Amino acid sequence: MPKNILIAYFSHGGENLVDDQIVDLGENGNTKIAARQLQEALAEKGLKSNLFEIEPLIPYDRSYEGTLARSRQEYESGAAPLIKDGPNGYEAYDLIFLGYPNWWGTLPAPIVSFLRDHDTNGKTIVPFVTHGGQRFLYSIESIQKEAPKASVTPGFAIAAPYMSQSPAVIAEWLGENLEKLA
């Protein structure tokens, strides 16, 4: 079983899609909520993990529409914004759960920045995504492109319209897949 587990995630606070409605989640976006639930589920399995939030230097708009507009512009231009410094001791992590919302069918730009800024050689990356119906779509291929020397394993997807069910989705996925990550 991996000894050094990092849960690195990008999440958008403010307005998010939850149970088919736009709701203001304050500082907690769907992916941040899922990351914390993942950490709790790993702890229940006796595994220690560290959380790290990937944050762009220029925060996204808190409104759902404003975030959609910026994320679309980044997607279309291929922009990878500057992000805040990475986690201390990154080199020691051998298993990285990488969480993000599926924006435009692929990775949000801060995740691209994180992968470009951090050496993923020899690491195992387990993606987890919050989405509005597209699951991973092209994001796994994007991770493999940005982290070609990492092992990218199948992860889990949580539909934003059903966030209330995310603890069960995470627990079921861990129950079925945790031993495979050893």
Side-chain angles (χ1 to χ4, degrees):
M1 195 56 47
K3 291 185 172 55
N4 296 308
I5 302 171
L6 177 67
I7 302 170
Y9 66 93
F10 166 71
S11 190
H12 173 259
E15 293 181 348
N16 276 265
L17 186 63
V18 177
D19 295 336
D20 246 357
Q21 297 178 37
I22 295 176
V23 177
D24 190 331
L25 297 176
E27 297 304 311
N28 295 319
N30 287 331
T31 310
K32 182 181 230 177
I33 292 167
R36 289 179 178 165
Q37 292 168 342
L38 173 60
Q39 186 178 43
E40 290 171 14
L42 286 166
E44 289 174 9
K45 301 272 187 195
L47 297 171
K48 183 181 181 299
S49 60
N50 292 317
L51 283 174
F52 175 73
E53 184 170 6
I54 299 165
E55 299 177 82
L57 288 179
I58 299 171
Y60 285 83
D61 195 286
R62 294 186 53 78
S63 77
Y64 188 74
E65 293 301 322
T67 297
L68 284 179
R70 175 176 167 186
S71 65
R72 180 154 191 100
Q73 183 276 328
E74 289 172 337
Y75 167 71
E76 290 174 348
S77 70
L82 294 175
I83 57 174
K84 295 181 181 179
D85 288 339
N88 291 331
Y90 172 82
E91 304 78 27
Y93 294 108
D94 51 1
L95 177 62
I96 301 170
F97 284 91
L98 186 64
Y100 52 91
N102 180 332
W103 285 357
W104 309 108
T106 192
L107 300 174
I111 292 290
V112 173
S113 297
F114 179 81
L115 291 171
R116 289 179 181 173
D117 290 355
H118 294 83
D119 182 9
T120 56
N121 187 19
K123 301 200 183 289
T124 298
I125 298 174
V126 181
F128 66 98
V129 64
T130 55
H131 64 94
Q134 297 180 326
R135 299 185 49 86
F136 290 104
L137 207 55
Y138 305 112
S139 65
I140 301 299
E141 292 88 348
S142 296
I143 293 171
Q144 291 168 330
K145 177 184 170 201
E146 297 296 337
K149 294 183 180 179
S151 172
V152 181
T153 69
F156 58 92
I158 301 168
Y162 306 103
M163 277 302 293
S164 58
Q165 298 172 18
S166 62
V169 170
I170 293 167
E172 180 180 344
W173 187 90
L174 282 176
E176 294 172 359
N177 293 283
L178 195 56
E179 289 185 21
K180 297 174 190 173
L181 300 175

